[in-house]
Amino acid sequence: MACYWIGDIQGCDQPFGHLLETIGFSPSRDQLVILGDLINRGPDSVAVLRRLMALDGSVHCVLGNHDLHGLAVANGLRQAGRTDTLSALLQAPDKNELIQWLRHQALALWSHGVLSVHAGVLPTWTVTQTLALAAEVESVLRGPDWLDFLRQMYGNQPSAWHDNLQGFDRWRVVVNALTRLRFCTLSGEMEFDTKEAAGQAPAGHVPWFEVPGRQTAGTTVAFGHWSTLQTPPRQDVWAMDSGCVWGGRLSAMRLNTDGSHERLQVPCPQAQRPG
């Protein structure tokens, strides 16, 4: 058995199918962890969701910012943006089934000694706390008040974690950290405007994984979200967004039974132009 972590698919079903063929994925033998942004901006979000649903117990997904945005748009709580490609999802005959499946996915996962999130982890959070906070939001998203949560989800404030946060403010910080984070201050104040490479951090900020004393340092964290990052010079982070939707590559990290790992990639046609 092998386990694979796959970066941002973003509705690019053809490269996703190609990657599964390239790695020789077997649903009866292997496991997939998809690191968020399953849908949007690529040409066939519906096919991606149907493929993942068909894989059933052999695939585990975390939600990304595009997935949460897709849920909000599909329920009339947000307008589709200029670069969104969600119309086929909104018109799909099995739309309700697809949406129900999507909102029951995770925000953080722990498996095979790897913490999986879409974007990042705040420096004060341990693995245990990250999973517990993710579970709080997952419970809300799967519960009867999930549409109220989506209405309140957007916004950059509060920009830092405090243990006394409650309700929507608390959940918004968790969502922003797990699905949007790239840079933060040494004290964990998040910044959301900068999308450039790690070496172009705004003044007073560093990539989240470079904060000294980060509680998850030494634990392998697999994430996507940051296509301009390339490969960080660290052994404890796997950056898996290699710009599939921009005409880059779709990447998988294979963890073998002996503990070794290797990155596998396939080229992707360009679905969107950067910027």
Side-chain angles (χ1 to χ4, degrees):
M1 185 191 84
C3 189
Y4 299 88
W5 283 257
I6 294 180
D8 303 37
I9 302 169
Q10 292 199 242
C12 298
D13 186 63
Q14 184 270 330
F16 183 32
H18 184 196
L19 180 60
L20 294 181
E21 292 175 1
T22 299
I23 65 180
F25 176 74
S26 169
S28 63
R29 180 192 64 215
D30 303 325
Q31 293 284 308
L32 291 180
V33 179
I34 311 297
L35 296 168
D37 280 4
L38 320 177
I39 64 171
N40 201 20
R41 290 193 172 167
D44 208 341
S45 295
V46 171
V48 170
L49 292 179
R50 289 173 180 161
R51 185 189 294 271
L52 291 170
M53 290 172 66
L55 291 172
D56 197 20
S58 63
V59 64
H60 307 277
C61 303
V62 298
L63 295 171
N65 52 306
H66 281 282
D67 307 314
L68 293 171
H69 177 63
L71 289 174
V73 172
N75 286 279
L77 304 175
R78 198 78 172 181
Q79 293 293 318
R82 179 179 56 83
T83 58
D84 288 342
T85 57
L86 296 168
S87 58
L89 174 60
L90 303 183
Q91 299 165 17
D94 54 346
K95 169 189 169 183
N96 290 339
E97 182 182 358
L98 298 172
I99 292 301
Q100 292 304 312
W101 181 87
L102 192 60
R103 77 181 182 96
H104 281 78
Q105 302 312 300
L107 279 167
L109 291 168
W110 174 259
S111 61
H112 299 85
V114 177
L115 177 63
S116 299
V117 299
H118 175 60
V121 180
L122 285 173
T124 60
W125 293 354
T126 63
V127 172
T128 299
Q129 185 177 14
T130 301
L131 294 170
L133 291 172
E136 284 188 36
V137 178
E138 291 161 12
S139 179
V140 176
L141 191 57
R142 297 167 186 175
D145 299 324
W146 69 289
L147 294 179
D148 287 338
F149 163 73
L150 291 176
R151 288 188 186 94
Q152 300 290 333
M153 177 181 67
Y154 289 88
N156 295 341
Q157 299 298 324
S159 61
W161 173 255
H162 302 286
D163 288 335
N164 60 354
L165 286 172
Q166 299 293 324
F168 291 119
D169 282 350
R170 178 182 179 91
W171 300 328
R172 193 180 303 114
V173 172
V174 175
V175 166
N176 283 342
L178 296 178
T179 71
R180 298 178 62 204
L181 177 62
R182 292 184 181 94
F183 296 103
C184 64
T185 65
L186 300 187
S187 63
E189 193 91 11
M190 295 181 282
E191 193 271 352
F192 300 112
D193 293 330
T194 308
K195 300 181 180 181
E196 282 75 21
Q200 296 174 275
H205 294 73
V206 297
W208 64 266
F209 50 80
E210 295 289 1
V211 174
R214 173 171 59 89
Q215 291 297 299
T216 49
T219 298
T220 300
V221 181
F223 64 100
H225 186 59
W226 201 344
S227 62
T228 58
L229 180 60
Q230 306 303 321
T231 304
R234 300 181 61 99
Q235 295 300 310
D236 59 349
V237 291
W238 294 348
M240 300 303 297
D241 182 1
S242 43
C244 175
V245 76
W246 310 117
R249 293 178 176 271
L250 185 61
S251 296
M253 187 73 80
R254 179 165 63 197
L255 182 64
N256 300 309
T257 53
D258 64 359
S260 62
H261 61 271
E262 60 180 317
R263 188 181 298 260
L264 305 154
Q265 298 180 314
V266 295
C268 304
Q270 187 178 63
Q272 295 271 352
R273 291 185 177 274

